[in-house]
Amino acid sequence: MSEAKTSELSEKRPAGDITRVINDFSIQVATVNGSGSQSANSVLLRSIFQMGVPVSGKNLFPSNIAGLPTWFTIRASRRGFVARKAEIDFGVAVNAQTAREDAMLVRSGGALLAEASLGLAGIRDDISIYEAPLSDIAAEVSSEARLRKLLANMVYVGILAELLGIEMPEVELAIAKQFPNKRKAIELNLKTVRAGLEFATKNLVKTDPFRVERMDRTRDMIIIDGNSAAALGAMFGGCTVVTWYPITPSSSVVEALTEYMARYRIDPETGRATYAIVQAEDELAALGMVIGAGWAGARAMTATSGPGISLMSEFAGLAYFAEIPAVIWDVQRVGPSTGLPTRTSQGDILSTYVLSHGDTKNILLIPATVAECFRFAQEAFNLAERFQAPVFCMSDLDLGMNNWMSEPFEYPEDIPIDRGKVLTREDLERLGGFSRYLDKDGDGIPYRTLPGTAHSAAAYFTRGSGHNEHAHYSERPEDFTALADRLAKKLETARGEVPPPIADNVEGADVGIIAYGTTHHALEECREQLRSERGLRASYLRIRALPFHRAVRDFIASHRRIYVVEQNRDAQMHALLTLEYPALATRLRPVLHYNGIPIDARFITDSILRQEDKGV
Amino acid sequence: MSEAKTSELSEKRPAGDITRVINDFSIQVATVNGSGSQSANSVLLRSIFQMGVPVSGKNLFPSNIAGLPTWFTIRASRRGFVARKAEIDFGVAVNAQTAREDAMLVRSGGALLAEASLGLAGIRDDISIYEAPLSDIAAEVSSEARLRKLLANMVYVGILAELLGIEMPEVELAIAKQFPNKRKAIELNLKTVRAGLEFATKNLVKTDPFRVERMDRTRDMIIIDGNSAAALGAMFGGCTVVTWYPITPSSSVVEALTEYMARYRIDPETGRATYAIVQAEDELAALGMVIGAGWAGARAMTATSGPGISLMSEFAGLAYFAEIPAVIWDVQRVGPSTGLPTRTSQGDILSTYVLSHGDTKNILLIPATVAECFRFAQEAFNLAERFQAPVFCMSDLDLGMNNWMSEPFEYPEDIPIDRGKVLTREDLERLGGFSRYLDKDGDGIPYRTLPGTAHSAAAYFTRGSGHNEHAHYSERPEDFTALADRLAKKLETARGEVPPPIADNVEGADVGIIAYGTTHHALEECREQLRSERGLRASYLRIRALPFHRAVRDFIASHRRIYVVEQNRDAQMHALLTLEYPALATRLRPVLHYNGIPIDARFITDSILRQEDKGV
Amino acid sequence: MPTAADKPRPKPTNRAGLILQDYKGVDSTLCAGCGHDAITSQIIRAFFQYGVEPHRVVKLSGIGCSSKTPAYFLRSAHGFNAVHGRMPSVGTGAILANRHLIAIGVSGDGDTASIGIGQFVHLVRRNVPMIYIMENNGVYGLTKGQFSATADEGSKLKSGVLNDLPPIDCCILAIELGCGYVARSFAGDPKQLVALLEGALAHKGMAFLDVISPCVTFNNHEGSTKSYKHAKETEEPAHEVGFVPFFEQITVDYEEGETRVVEMHDGSRITLKKLDREYNPTVKAEALRAIRAANSGGELLTGLLYVDPSKPDFTELLGMHGRPLATLGTELVRPPRKALDEIMESLK
Amino acid sequence: MPTAADKPRPKPTNRAGLILQDYKGVDSTLCAGCGHDAITSQIIRAFFQYGVEPHRVVKLSGIGCSSKTPAYFLRSAHGFNAVHGRMPSVGTGAILANRHLIAIGVSGDGDTASIGIGQFVHLVRRNVPMIYIMENNGVYGLTKGQFSATADEGSKLKSGVLNDLPPIDCCILAIELGCGYVARSFAGDPKQLVALLEGALAHKGMAFLDVISPCVTFNNHEGSTKSYKHAKETEEPAHEVGFVPFFEQITVDYEEGETRVVEMHDGSRITLKKLDREYNPTVKAEALRAIRAANSGGELLTGLLYVDPSKPDFTELLGMHGRPLATLGTELVRPPRKALDEIMESLK
Ligand SMILES: Cc1ncc(C[n+]2csc(CCOP(=O)(O)OP(=O)(O)O)c2C)c(N)n1
Ligand SMILES: Cc1ncc(C[n+]2csc(CCOP(=O)(O)OP(=O)(O)O)c2C)c(N)n1
Ligand code: SF4
Ligand code: SF4
Ligand SMILES: [Mg+2]
Ligand SMILES: [Mg+2]
């Protein structure tokens, strides 16, 4: 799994040496899915987080409900790197199916905590191996079979707390947070953690270098997954209609939204919902409902993943051509087809940009952080209504389903709810009438009225077939060309209004790097590796939307070699940049990662260095 | 409608001058759809054709069944140019709704035949205007109202025959062909044509320059539409399963196929069909059936147009990823969405090439002539089975629904029915077993078995989710990468096997031109215009398939400026060329036509000259 | 009231103060004699008689000749000609956005029973408040006459092609799936159709009308079971349908057992006068038996086949706000700062 | 025959000379106790008992936990785990390519009744020869327990969420649409299920089985109407189902009126022994009434609900060649040169 050639740590010290490694290591817990290790892992993550140490967690789970191997990696990084770390410093082996493999994956000089019954002692001599009868210890806490299975996970939390020096009060707090007002569960889990801890103190002698020590880098920070953040964004963005069809990894967007809305979007006066959430029969219907709702004036959205996007193709073209606002939150997973439903990817960029037959081009927003999920969800509705077009938010499984640290989200004072060019009855009385598809303002964006507007001139006829400025059916060649050109112009206007890219131009940089979405997190780290390991200075541009903002060109123009890093096979963003800037195309070099595992800094660094060395 | 700035003819002579113009003019008949003008127009076309004069006909009809304006243009071209001619030399005005417009569209120096009751006499003095009481004349032939309406069209055939010098025996033959063994209809129509002709001889004095004179450029040639040609190709290509959902302009592919199959694909021994044709409930089901059939060993196809392609997106990804042969015949119409269902376009190229979410790339064949429809339909099945992938044939409305002259199709001796890498029971007995997705031959193409193969090792499990070489479910990162890479490699192999482009390299050419599909026909003429009007020498490359054959690169590399001419807004082929050859990208310049009317030479010539003059 | 033949009689106005003309749309481009145009006329009449305010109406359709017709009525109502077979989802969305809208969807038998059957089933299941008219001609008119999924077994195309698959009876389907207002009618029976349309306007929830609407160009020949001739010959009204809108306070007393009166939730009444058969449209099982019997007997049973005015509609099930979601102000659709603070706290 | 306890009893073989193990697949990865695994076992048993040659079978499915199960039986049969809700079209295609194949499709209630209802309706309408099993747990298992379109009104999720939409009864739908073999069973009733599956194997045309198959992880709690407990408590067999394959020439004589015997086209017989109620599965109207009554009474009526072994299947309607189209030789699928010449002549 790890493409790492070398390692920060092993470079510095030979295996075995136990000079302490503080707040800078990865833990990988290997368990069986459906065995309840999730809560144990979150508690572990939270405890470290509460000690002020930057952490990140990645859940590597199977497309299955129970019984298959699953891995959870926690990374503690004093420098605040939250991307996946290719190497495993500390392994926890609980799953018999994969125990030996799991033991082998630990980097030399690392450590392994293993369920005693797996008999992994002595499987390797270049790592510290700790054995513990996890389920026996759990059994002492509870004899109930089902419960014991669950609690066994809490045992390793206790042992790790002891071995790594995680403070018990933080663990207690984390458990309390994990089981909000479930007194009984809290007590039971706590008891188990303590049992684990005691076992460790009594029976284990620490021989590994890893330790957690209190820092102050997480004060006031929150932990949240991207899907929940998107849900919050939608709720504060004034979303009124939500339709969906369940699909991993997007389901939790609407599931979280359903809970938040029920809590915060009931009109206190009437006790009625200021929204409607509907589980559709499939994705065609989900987008159809969003389009009907957007047309009738709702701020409507749906959330889905690759297969859903494909099924939405025809309707997406209708929204584009009939100019109807719609927000589609795509949590990308590995395709094509069903692909790897529980693995991450950035593989829908190109096909979504040109989704549907005929000449179409869509607006795409690409969040990289949970904060951007919150922000872009709100901006998506504004952009959709301003441009009367479908707006696709391209999240991914890594961002959507994993937990991320973040500054608390800010109240959207700066994001007023913008309904775009909607003419009210009063406007119509003033104007006398309007032409639905007339480019009055020269920005390609026409005016619309909402069904139900009480004015005889309000009505117009919407269709996916050819029409003129007055929304009358037309097959006239010149009408069609005019319409097609205005639609293109509208997208030109969008360049200036979508979230601009974020550039970090380094003085006299040797190379430029372009990335987007979750690839961003590995880049922070990659750039430090390039600098520290080779003294290579790299400027960095993070793209946040399509069509490209003008600033993208400037960045490319100002660097001789630009590496475009993304998580798909076909270099999709690289392709779009090539199309947009043919004159600069030869400067662009793809760096591609597409095995379903979140990309890591080491992979990028090595790929870039390999190409730099080739001097290509 | 006409973008023409200048005209071959009007350049040479002032309006009014009646020096004769032989076999080189366009006729546009303006009628009402559903009024039966179709057969009259075909008779007109055939008669000229039978006189040995190259002709082409284009039907410009509304998305409606009866009562709206429709136009039919016939072009006679001694030089054999069959693209649409922008200017109208001879107009025929029968439709009151559009009569004045129609009269105005005739080029100065041209002629107009008008239904007398429209009172168009004297509407212009720069063209010859002939009036005739078409329906009154028809009424003399038959008093029956419905019939009279139909026959009125045959009246103008008779008049034109007289005015243009079309020989009556040819008209008679054409009528006989039009109404095969319908004795009564033949007599009635003939009678009407004669009545028209007599009227003309008695009452009209020819003042226009246009004449048809016998040539010998159509001997042994056939006239057929692209959809029928595709149907023939499928039938002779060994197609066994056809599924479809009606949609203009593709319906006639399957409707023609249904007739041909019923006639030529019944097993004489058993009297049973050697094929199955099924009208599905929609396009998702149509492709689903094709995939099921292809998987189980049929040579299966479906025909559709843009909206259908969009609906097929999810299934297309399954076929790509699970590696199942499928042939999809896309007769392109104007999109996005419902767009202009009865107008032509080349707008599905880009989105079909990357159809479906995730990393996908498809094989596309792009016929330009009816002969290629016949040939590519057969090759499509071979390629689909050889590459175990969906193959899209990108025809368009102009090619599919209009009538074209062609050399007779050749019996496919050179296209043996190739089932690709299928292992039979015997093979399995020899080999002992096989791995479904193993790249045994290093060409990226694995071996498959058909369901029903009587061998215990024949079975394998097909899925759209991740799998390894043995077709076992897998989420392993390395398995996925290997699979994705092999699929990419398979497409690399395809480059060498798809129909290569056809290049016409002109010694020391000033520019190169790239086109594909029906745009080809206007190019033949455009290049002569460039040469004759400006002495500009242009090489020409016609692309016939994606992924690009290696020869495409060489062509681009050997010309400094290359114009990529296509019928869509977003320069879709230009985009794909840019992606493929970034180093040469700056040489490429789009020439785009996207109003739904078939592109014409004059438009291309003018656009190229405009850019050449700018010296850009 | 003015009666004198000499002075021009003013056009009658309805309770909305509008005249019949106000309910028309652009000119039809359908074939002369198309059943769809006949239905359009009755829609215009029904909406006029019921006194609907056009601006409160949304007209929806899929793709097909039938789906073109919303352009031909209620010119002052917003219309949406969506994509083929997927109108139900678009209509559902529109109602979610604004529950005050009166939605009328016009579809064809191909648009509904072939490509659209999935969305149709789920629309019925949700009981989305919407009048859904299926203009049923047994063929795909706009694509030139292929059989649809409602074509009768044994029905012939002009070309002689025979349909050997059983038809989908969308009325039976709708009843089985719990639709509260299911009617079948015939474009050639304007009186019944208008009454059924008015009844549909008075119904709260989804109202489904399967209207036989001959395609004169592709399916009106001998051998077609969807021709004017065949429909006329086989039509068997289950009862004589009448409608008394809530705003007309006439009190009529009906002959015992001769007329069944259905009270609609807005106070309007549908009257079903007994003809030569007993027919009780309020009992599912009976209705279904009668329809099945008629079908196998080659009868075209028309009228209000099933009615249950009591079912809660989708907007009620969702507990939606009384005001249209589409126009709720920021104060209602964006929670206050303290809400966000509270949430942020819980995530720390 | 070997009976002595001491020497190992050889595994029993069927008429294909195979043992039960030969009908198994890879190990299930479903949750321990999942109803789907119970159904898988009965499929294995039924195919073994009927003596089906595995290589003649194609296993089809959509997406879902249920749709994973074809990998768990008949390892020597080709399998196709297609896309969500669209298995019917893939199965139809497979049968078109090779009519000799025995097709068994396994789907879920979400895969069939939610996203898949459209293709399901048309599959039934075409009477494609195929065994279609809907493993019905009322929820989307694989996506973690959302309600499907077969969830009963009033059914509760663990989270307390209530389903307020009516369920789609796919058996009623199938019967209305003309399916010739419609059964309902329960994963917890192996004996009945095996007999119904063997009957399905003997049926020519589409056979539909709606099998209640509890999701132990997401829908097996109190308040769920698709739990083992609830199904056990409410199951009401319409009759006791037995099966006598054509190759077992036993002659039994059944008590007058006590047992109904259904002759299948291959000579097999389905025996329906009367229990406490009269139930006639050969009369549509009666079957439908009984099912509807049971539904409203909260009963889970199981057994062979409707049967009509006589309907022609899709391949017959198409007049397809007797040999599989998939493997017809060039001489049959490419017309001779003279055919092309003839056509070319006609176009000159
Ligand atoms: C996705 C898609 N497939 C196919 C078509 C072509 N098409 C247009 S209308 C139609 C059928 C219309 O039949 P019906 O709904 O019965 O309407 P009618 O014309 O008979 O009134 C079809 C197949 C389309 N517009 N979109
Ligand atoms: C197009 C598409 N949408 C959504 C999904 C996600 N998905 C996978 S299985 C499933 C539902 C499965 O429910 P059911 O058919 O009842 O099977 P079960 O797991 O309950 O056995 C869904 C929605 C998908 N795979 N494809
Ligand atoms: S084709 Fe048929 S359905 Fe369409 S408009 Fe003409 S008559 Fe009506
Ligand atoms: S989640 Fe439910 S349906 Fe899926 S395997 Fe587990 S128990 Fe079975
Ligand atoms: Mg129709
Ligand atoms: Mg289920």
Side-chain angles (χ1 to χ4, degrees), chain B residues 270-413:
Chain B
T270 61
R272 300 283 208 65
T274 61
Y275 64 92
I277 298 180
V278 175
Q279 183 181 315
E281 60 269 34
D282 65 12
E283 290 84 350
L284 287 86
L287 185 53
M289 291 178 192
V290 164
I291 287 173
W295 172 72
R299 293 183 45 114
M301 76 172 284
T302 183
T304 188
S305 188
I309 293 289
S310 285
L311 286 176
M312 292 175 182
S313 299
E314 187 195 20
F315 259 132
L318 174 67
Y320 169 84
F321 193 63
E323 302 181 68
I324 295 164
V327 172
I328 301 99
W329 195 273
D330 177 14
V331 186
Q332 298 170 91
R333 67 188 210 185
V334 173
S337 197
T338 304
L340 305 179
T342 59
R343 299 302 159 86
T344 196
S345 160
Q346 298 180 314
D348 298 348
I349 302 295
L350 177 55
S351 54
T352 305
Y353 187 52
V354 298
L355 194 66
S356 208
H357 61 282
D359 289 305
T360 58
K361 284 232 170 69
N362 297 309
I363 295 174
L364 272 54
L365 305 187
I366 312 173
T369 65
V370 290
E372 280 183 342
C373 286
F374 178 69
R375 190 180 179 90
F376 287 6
Q378 300 176 65
E379 290 187 346
F381 287 103
N382 286 348
L383 288 166
E385 292 211 289
R386 227 162 33 234
F387 288 93
Q388 297 169 33
V391 171
F392 296 81
C393 298
M394 311 301 284
S395 176
D396 64 33
L397 184 141
D398 183 20
L399 177 57
M401 289 188 74
N402 286 322
N403 282 316
W404 301 78
M405 299 187 310
S406 169
E407 296 294 331
F409 303 154
E410 278 164 25
Y411 194 73
E413 229 77 67

